[in-house]
Amino acid sequence: MTWALGVLAAFAYSVFSGWGIPAQRTCWMLLVAGASVIVGRAAATGHVLAAAAALVTVLDPWAVLSSGFWLSFGIVAALMLDAGVVRARDPGGARPAAHSGRPPW
């Protein structure tokens, strides 16, 4: 239920801030991710991003001509891709040992 409060707060903030494309992306991604949790099916982050892009495009077909659309969705996709690459390199999630403050030699 707390996800609903978070989505509601995101939508309220987005409306008050001018309902720009990055704000819409955030709201739709939160709504899709929250709905997938409620339904009980984990959605892949790429699917959540694609659904948000589809919703923005359906609600405002001219949005795809905006640089804000491509920058917003592009950078989120790049961050998600980078996170996937980092996770693939370190599947165990091991963290480096704490630094003792002494030089390594």
Side-chain angles (χ1 to χ4, degrees), residues 86-87 89-99:
V86 168
R87 195 172 324 133
R89 271 190 271 150
D90 187 16
R95 295 182 179 204
H99 191 279

Side-chain angles (χ1 to χ4, degrees), residues 38-51:
I38 290 297
V39 172
R41 296 188 61 165
T45 54
H47 294 155
V48 173
L49 184 65

